[in-house]
Amino acid sequence: MKRVRTSGLAALAVGMLALTACGGGEDAADSGGGGESGGELRLWLAGSDTPQELRDHLVETFEAEHPDATLVIEEQDWNGLVPRLQTALTSESQTPDLVEIGNTQSPTFTYAGAFSDISDMYEELGGDDLLQGFVDAGTVDDTLYAVPYYSGARAVFYNKEVFAAAGVEVPTTLAEFTEVAQTLQQANPTGAPSFSGFWLPGQDWYNGVAWLNSHGGELAVEEDGEWTGALSSPESQEGLAEVQELFTTATSAPRDADSNEPWIAFNNGEAAMFSAPTWARWSIDLPACNKGVAADDESEAAKALLAEQQACNEEKTGIFALPGLEEGSVAPVFAGGSNIGIPAKSGNQELARDLLRIIFSPEYQTMLAENGLIPGNTEYADALGDDVYAQAALAAAVDAELTPPAEKWADVEGARILEDLFQEIASGTDPATAAAEADQLITDTLN
């Protein structure tokens, strides 16, 4: 899940009162603009993770099945997505008809009644082959409101030539990873002024949480219906101490930056390693490989040059799943990804269901996998292939963990509690002191 800003669940819940009073599901199809007879169906996709090829497929397939209707795909930036949804999903005239939301945002909107009940589609869309953690995030009281679109567990990309120059090899344990990052930091084979053995910005809790998870720590725990911040537990503290060591000895990334676009530093020779979902492979553009193809050049010659460029990038770049505490194990990294649901205010309930069927068709699920995304229906995960990127993605996904399924978790992210915690640790604050403050904020926010 990407970081979002939100004005709080209270505002969302107030806005949703009108929504739930009007009812969802089939009743909602009688209200709102457009209706079912045709017209325009609006799909909101978050960010740029869905390739253009897949967007084109959705439009062509949907409009072929519904000649009187038009599918309009609107890309929404992850930043500020929650406030935009707060406004749009409460309005019959503004609501889209199908919405991609981050997996950690999903509980907030499902608890608030923002989406229509699609429990009757569960088996049709994949049943138990669906990513179950994402299904749980889209379910309230055994009623299904949102289903998994895709997942992308994080893996570590590294520059093979830089590794060779520093005399290091791919680590096999989490402790070795720190040692390798430190050695790279000290060696600085590229000579960059602000070189990082491992690119780890100060606010990057999405990657840092893997150390906490590895030691058995948790962000928050639930007992008797009440959530409590758990960053002060001995297990969490052990993980946070190791993250602070990385901040201190293995990275020069800005203390006030987040996890956005880590490949930029890698492409510029400013980092030997970075961690991101495996589809980041398409963003790697090493200077030694760049063919200078213009972005708008669609000629066959340009396509051939781009293929050469990509092959060069992948020859010089390696990838591995972040190792766990024991040799041969894999760290439980953060499971990024998205859910997708039908807004209850949409006046095009049946058309939206038809589009959902296209998205969960074998063809589209296969296309997701072929583009490096772990599909919502794991039956088609084999289409990821068997190259190193697919192997790393699947290895990282095995034990990947979601954020706590708390109703108000989006408020924790919106308040940037974890970004602030990690930035404090990166800046030298004692992890116990920073965690105690963050725990109180998390507890107050979730309850």
Side-chain angles (χ1 to χ4, degrees):
M1 221 321 282
K2 293 21 172 221
R3 175 175 52 80
V4 298
R5 297 179 184 271
T6 175
S7 57
L9 184 69
L12 176 62
V14 169
M16 289 301 172
L17 286 176
L19 184 155
T20 53
C22 292
E26 297 306 314
D27 292 339
D30 296 328
S31 63
E36 298 287 358
S37 60
E40 181 178 278
L41 191 78
R42 295 168 61 211
L43 165 64
W44 277 17
L45 292 178
S48 58
D49 295 330
T50 301
Q52 188 60 45
E53 175 191 2
L54 275 68
R55 301 179 191 219
D56 293 341
H57 174 81
L58 290 178
V59 172
E60 293 168 4
T61 305
F62 177 81
E63 294 183 356
E65 294 183 4
H66 300 278
D68 296 331
T70 300
L71 174 60
V72 176
I73 298 177
E74 301 173 358
E75 181 174 314
Q76 302 294 320
D77 195 287
W78 282 107
N79 289 323
L81 178 60
V82 168
R84 288 195 296 278
L85 288 171
Q86 287 175 304
T87 300
L89 297 185
T90 58
S91 169
E92 295 175 359
S93 61
Q94 295 185 46
T95 182
D97 301 294
L98 198 62
V99 174
E100 176 190 354
I101 56 173
N103 55 9
T104 63
Q105 299 165 342
S106 194
T108 294
F109 287 95
T110 52
Y111 273 100
F115 298 121
S116 297
D117 179 359
I118 53 173
S119 302
D120 61 321
M121 299 185 73
Y122 178 71
E123 293 298 336
E124 180 182 1
L125 299 179
D128 292 344
D129 286 328
L130 297 174
L131 292 162
Q132 289 304 302
F134 288 53
V135 170
D136 292 343
T139 300
V140 176
D141 295 331
D142 297 323
T143 301
L144 181 66
Y145 295 100
V147 284
Y149 182 37
Y150 66 81
S151 175
R154 285 162 165 73
V156 181
F157 293 79
Y158 69 98
N159 187 309
K160 294 179 180 179
E161 293 179 349
V162 172
F163 262 49
V168 297
E169 298 181 352
V170 172
T172 59
T173 67
L174 201 57
E176 282 184 12
F177 179 88
T178 298
E179 293 172 1
V180 167
Q182 292 169 333
T183 299
L184 289 163
Q185 179 80 10
Q186 295 167 3
N188 186 5
T190 71
S194 298
F195 183 78
S196 293
F198 176 49
W199 185 258
L200 186 64
Q203 297 177 0
D204 187 5
W205 69 270
Y206 293 118
N207 281 308
V209 75
W211 275 261
L212 184 146
N213 293 339
S214 293
H215 288 280
E218 297 183 79
L219 299 174
V221 294
E222 182 186 22
E223 185 174 354
D224 297 327
E226 183 165 319
W227 286 92
T228 305
L231 296 162
S232 298
S233 72
E235 296 83 1
S236 295
Q237 283 295 297
E238 191 169 3
L240 291 175
E242 291 186 7
V243 172
Q244 188 169 59
E245 183 180 2
L246 282 170
F247 281 136
T248 304
T249 64
T251 188
S252 298
R255 300 292 187 249
D256 59 351
D258 59 21
S259 62
N260 194 40
E261 299 184 333
W263 48 82
I264 292 178
F266 184 81
N267 291 341
N268 292 338
E270 297 171 348
M273 298 187 288
F274 73 92
S275 177
T278 54
W279 63 78
R281 66 189 288 190
W282 308 113
S283 296
I284 293 176
D285 184 14
L286 300 175
C289 299
N290 190 285
K291 300 296 182 180
V293 179
D296 59 351
D297 190 345
E298 298 182 0
S299 67
E300 291 303 316
K303 292 178 182 178
L305 287 174
L306 287 174
E308 290 181 22
Q309 178 175 304
Q310 185 63 27
C312 176
N313 284 324
E314 296 190 358
E315 180 182 352
K316 294 179 179 296
T317 303
I319 187 171
F320 59 90
L322 183 69
L325 297 180
E326 303 296 329
E327 187 166 348
S329 66
V330 176
V333 297
F334 172 70
S338 297
N339 276 14
I340 193 163
I342 301 172
K345 282 287 188 179
S346 167
N348 294 306
Q349 296 287 313
E350 288 305 319
L351 288 176
R353 281 171 166 250
D354 286 346
L355 180 56
L356 202 56
R357 292 183 178 100
I358 294 171
I359 289 172
F360 282 87
S361 67
E363 184 174 7
Y364 190 81
Q365 291 289 298
T366 299
M367 292 173 73
L368 284 170
E370 289 174 344
N371 280 274
L373 301 162
I374 299 174
N377 187 337
T378 59
E379 180 181 351
Y380 303 101
D382 287 347
L384 283 163
D386 57 2
D387 62 14
V388 292
Y389 294 95
Q391 292 171 15
L394 293 173
V398 170
D399 293 315
E401 295 190 9
L402 298 170
T403 53
E407 178 181 348
K408 299 185 181 182
W409 185 259
D411 281 12
V412 173
E413 293 193 18
R416 297 176 58 80
I417 295 171
L418 294 175
E419 282 90 346
D420 291 345
L421 165 72
F422 275 76
Q423 183 172 343
E424 284 193 32
I425 292 173
S427 301
T429 300
D430 177 58
T433 301
E437 180 180 354
D439 277 341
Q440 188 61 56
L441 291 170
I442 290 173
T443 299
D444 291 345
T445 301
L446 295 183
N447 297 296

